């Protein structure tokens, strides 16, 4: 390998890593946090069987799960301006990733809540608690334990999916890779390199997942 | 103290309770016997509104309630006067023994934590679990779990405690530790309604025995009446089957 390529690899690594820390990770963390709030609300609305809201929740999950993430990004960033709503690239990405991950995660949380035995509810009622108290203090802690592994899965999925934000002009890790590749023509090496950085991020997340899962078990 | 009149309940068109009348006085220990499917458990669950009823009247402390059409608020208030012990214990899985017992006091009755834990400690001591305060349900045997459930039931000092086959899920060698606790409660004068298959308990501890058959109360009376001089053919058959067993 000649020194030119080594230099490209090293320079690109720092540029990509920097953009990963400044864009990819914040994009993931912010979107995932919002997604969790959406998911909780959407799941509880369905389990609690609140009439109109439940229909809305089902509709939301149906639409979001039934359309491609990339198309959703395009609708918000390239589509909305034509009807007068202009949102910058980064906030557009946050909105779409939050809504998208929220839909999948709400199904995870809903299933986890439904997996808690009915007797837990009945016992709560019999000691005089109301629905909200039981949900918050008894059902949710158990459900979230069950939901933790699949939610970690969603998080790992999301960090990789943020690479799609490059297609709506967000200058993320993948966008940097594309730019360097275009300038140097070293496409193979650079795309493999950026893939490795994603792999690195996901490895850290996987380790964290294992750690917390163990912790939840004790 | 507590009275049920003409209670009806069906599941998908199948009538499970066909007009139950039941009177409970303070200090009564009522054992409800009967074969499976006779409606005993449903009766108990309807009385605590875990199942809705189609029709019926409940009189509790002189107040009358329409069981077929009762408000959530009334249900909520009535449940605070009662407690329920389940066949499968139903301890809160994410809470320790102590937290299980204290939860209702702290959350539902807004009791200060200190006081709630003090009461819970006493309740757990009473059921013989003074060395298990901080154990989680999965770390306890079935008998211990059921005793925690009983502590959880008595800690709020309810006017009546419902027991739904409290020993039916237990290994034979663990049944007695639970029955002994229940016997102590009966001696203290607690009002208890017990759905059970424990004939010795029904006979020796209860003040009144009810035999249910096919959604109705077939016969009721003192333990002696029921066990020694059953009037109904069916009661005699049921009891002799148990004696043979």
């Amino acid at each position: 390998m000649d020194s030119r390529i080594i230099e490209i690899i090293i320079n690109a690594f720092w540029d990509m890593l920097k953009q990963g820390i400044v864009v990819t990770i914040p994009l993931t963390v912010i979107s995932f946090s919002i997604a969790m709030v959406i998911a909780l609300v959407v799941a509880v609305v369905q389990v609690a069987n609140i009439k109109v809201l439940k229909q809305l929740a089902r509709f939301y999950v149906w639409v979001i799960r039934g359309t491609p993430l990339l198309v959703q990004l395009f609708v918000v960033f390239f589509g909305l301006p034509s009807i007068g709503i202009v949102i910058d690239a980064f906030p557009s990405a946050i909105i779409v990733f939050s809504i998208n991950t929220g839909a999948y995660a709400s199904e995870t949380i809903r299933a986890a809540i439904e997996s808690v035995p009915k007797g837990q509810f009945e016992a709560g009622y019999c000691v005089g608690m109301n629905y909200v108290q039981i949900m918050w203090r008894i059902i949710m802690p158990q459900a979230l334990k069950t939901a933790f592994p699949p939610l970690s899965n969603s998080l790992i999925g999301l960090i990789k999916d943020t690479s799609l934000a490059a297609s709506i002009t967000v200058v993320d890790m993948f966008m940097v890779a594309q730019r360097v590749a275009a300038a140097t023509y070293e496409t193979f090496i650079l795309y493999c390199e950026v893939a490795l950085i994603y792999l690195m991020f996901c490895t850290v997340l996987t380790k964290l997942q294992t750690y917390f899962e163990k912790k939840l078990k004790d | 103290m507590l009275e049920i009149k003409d209670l009806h309940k069906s599941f998908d068109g199948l009538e499970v309770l066909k007009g139950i009348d039941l009177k409970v006085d303070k200090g009564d220990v009522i054992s409800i016997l009967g074969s499976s499917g006779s409606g005993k458990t449903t009766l108990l669950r309807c009385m605590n509104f875990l199942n809705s009823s189609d029709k019926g009247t409940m009189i509790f402390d002189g107040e009358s309630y329409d069981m077929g059409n009762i408000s959530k608020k009334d249900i909520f208030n009535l449940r605070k006067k009662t407690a329920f012990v389940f066949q499968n214990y139903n301890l809160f899985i994410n809470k320790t023994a102590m937290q299980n017992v204290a939860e209702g006091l702290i959350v539902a009755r807004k009791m200060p934590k200190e006081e709630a834990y003090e009461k819970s400690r006493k309740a757990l001591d009473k059921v013989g679990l003074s060395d298990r305060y901080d154990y989680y349900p999965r770390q306890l045997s079935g008998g211990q779990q059921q005793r925690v459930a009983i502590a959880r039931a008595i800690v709020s000092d309810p006017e009546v405690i419902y027991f739904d086959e409290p020993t039916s899920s237990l290994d034979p060698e663990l049944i007695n530790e639970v029955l002994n606790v229940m016997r102590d409660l009966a001696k203290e004068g607690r009002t208890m309604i017990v759905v059970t298959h424990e004939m010795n308990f029904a006979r020796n501890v209860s003040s009144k025995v009810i035999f249910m058959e096919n959604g109705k109360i077939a016969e009721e009376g003192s333990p002696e009446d029921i066990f020694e001089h059953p009037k109904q053919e069916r009661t005699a058959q049921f009891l002799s089957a148990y004696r043979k067993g």
Side-chain angles (χ1 to χ4, degrees):
Chain A
M1 224 187 276
D2 62 43
S3 61
R4 186 187 81 97
I5 293 187
I6 293 176
E7 207 183 308
I8 290 172
I9 292 174
I10 292 172
N11 287 341
F13 180 79
W14 293 115
D15 286 346
M16 287 193 270
L17 188 64
K18 195 193 112 206
Q19 218 54 21
I21 290 166
V22 179
V23 177
T24 299
I25 290 178
L27 188 55
T28 306
V29 171
I30 298 170
S31 302
F32 195 74
S33 309
I34 300 172
M36 284 301 103
V37 176
I38 296 175
L40 261 179
V41 173
V42 170
V44 169
V45 156
Q46 293 177 70
V47 176
N49 224 344
I50 306 171
K51 265 180 196 151
V52 180
L53 289 179
K54 183 180 173 174
Q55 306 298 324
L56 272 175
R58 290 315 306 168
F59 180 76
Y60 158 71
V61 172
W62 173 63
V63 170
I64 299 300
R65 287 205 304 183
T67 53
L69 178 54
L70 185 59
V71 173
Q72 292 166 8
L73 282 165
F74 273 51
V75 167
V76 171
F77 185 70
F78 297 120
L80 287 184
S82 73
I83 56 165
I85 304 167
V86 182
I87 308 172
D88 284 347
F90 190 77
S92 292
I94 298 260
I95 292 170
V96 172
F97 289 132
S98 305
I99 291 178
N100 188 277
T101 306
Y104 286 93
S106 75
E107 288 292 278
T108 303
I109 294 177
R110 184 177 62 85
I113 292 173
E114 281 167 359
S115 77
V116 176
K118 210 167 129 243
Q120 296 287 301
F121 256 108
E122 293 183 344
Y125 282 132
C126 286
V127 299
M129 292 160 80
N130 62 35
Y131 184 83
V132 175
Q133 290 167 336
I134 299 171
M135 204 63 191
W136 184 248
R137 298 184 56 96
I138 309 295
I139 308 298
M140 273 300 172
Q142 296 180 41
L144 291 181
K145 226 175 185 176
T146 311
F148 185 78
L151 289 179
S152 307
N153 221 16
S154 298
L155 177 60
I156 290 171
L158 177 59
I159 200 164
K160 292 176 296 172
D161 285 349
T162 59
S163 60
L164 290 173
S167 60
I168 59 162
T169 76
V170 173
V171 185
D172 73 332
M173 216 154 75
F174 185 49
M175 177 69 103
V176 173
Q178 288 181 50
R179 284 180 178 174
V180 180
T184 61
Y185 300 109
E186 295 298 340
T187 45
F188 179 70
I189 286 175
L190 285 160
Y191 290 140
C192 286
E193 190 177 3
V194 77
L196 277 176
I197 302 179
Y198 279 109
L199 183 60
M200 210 170 78
F201 285 177
C202 290
T203 308
V204 173
L205 286 179
T206 308
K207 294 275 177 227
L208 282 174
Q209 180 189 351
T210 314
Y211 172 79
F212 282 115
E213 257 176 52
K214 222 179 214 169
K215 205 133 203 225
L216 279 174
K217 256 182 203 153
D218 303 332
Chain B
M1 183 191 88
L2 168 62
E3 202 175 341
I4 301 288
K5 284 180 185 164
D6 197 28
L7 174 60
H8 289 261
K9 168 73 182 170
S10 349
F11 289 109
D12 300 326
L14 179 73
E15 201 170 25
V16 181
L17 297 178
K18 302 172 181 171
I20 301 283
D21 297 288
L22 177 65
K23 201 164 176 294
V24 187
D25 289 316
K26 197 169 166 13
D28 269 351
V29 177
I30 300 179
S31 290
I32 304 179
L33 311 179
S35 42
S36 359
S38 60
K40 328 179 279 291
T41 291
T42 305
L43 168 61
L44 215 56
R45 290 174 61 87
C46 283
M47 286 174 76
N48 214 16
F49 308 99
L50 291 173
N51 285 140
S52 61
S53 306
D54 299 336
K55 185 182 148 195
T57 308
M58 171 180 274
I59 301 165
F60 204 128
D61 288 340
E63 293 275 339
S64 179
Y65 304 89
D66 176 0
M67 294 178 79
N69 185 20
I70 185 166
S71 70
K72 280 191 174 167
K73 191 166 161 273
D74 282 340
I75 291 178
F76 194 67
N77 289 330
L78 283 169
R79 279 190 184 137
K80 284 195 181 171
K81 299 182 179 192
T82 67
F84 203 99
V85 175
F86 296 87
Q87 180 176 349
N88 300 317
Y89 337 126
N90 283 346
L91 293 183
F92 304 129
I93 298 166
N94 58 326
K95 308 244 172 225
T96 62
M98 181 65 90
Q99 290 167 337
N100 260 283
V101 180
E103 187 75 7
L105 298 180
I106 296 169
V107 179
R109 291 178 171 79
K110 311 287 176 215
M111 189 181 281
K113 278 190 181 172
E114 282 301 305
E115 193 186 340
Y117 282 121
E118 184 54 37
K119 273 186 184 251
S120 305
R121 215 166 286 138
K122 278 186 189 151
L124 283 168
D125 292 349
K126 188 176 244 167
V127 298
L129 290 172
S130 47
D131 54 345
R132 291 289 185 274
Y133 294 159
D134 298 322
Y135 283 56
Y136 283 92
R138 65 188 146 82
Q139 299 168 312
L140 298 169
S141 71
Q144 289 169 334
Q145 288 191 54
Q146 193 59 298
R147 284 187 285 150
V148 174
I150 293 175
R152 179 170 73 178
I154 60 177
V155 76
S156 59
D157 205 13
E159 293 183 41
V160 54
I161 308 175
Y162 303 114
F163 291 82
D164 182 17
E165 304 198 27
T167 56
S168 297
S169 299
L170 294 174
D171 291 338
E173 72 267 26
L174 300 177
I175 289 177
N176 274 328
E177 66 184 59
V178 170
L179 288 181
N180 287 340
V181 168
M182 291 171 64
R183 205 167 279 136
D184 290 345
L185 296 182
K187 270 187 213 147
E188 277 175 21
R190 296 252 181 207
T191 311
M192 298 155 64
I193 303 179
V194 187
V195 169
T196 187
H197 293 292
E198 290 298 325
M199 295 303 144
N200 284 329
F201 179 89
R203 182 169 188 163
N204 301 326
V205 182
S206 40
S207 57
K208 187 169 160 189
V209 176
I210 286 174
F211 178 70
M212 277 184 76
E213 171 75 5
N214 203 13
K216 284 183 178 155
I217 291 181
E219 191 166 354
E220 60 182 297
S222 69
E224 208 191 359
D225 290 342
I226 300 288
F227 283 93
E228 303 299 331
H229 322 287
K231 292 194 192 74
Q232 306 282 333
E233 179 72 12
R234 193 56 196 94
T235 315
Q237 273 175 6
F238 177 81
L239 292 172
S240 75
Y242 264 91
R243 285 205 185 93
K244 276 178 207 147

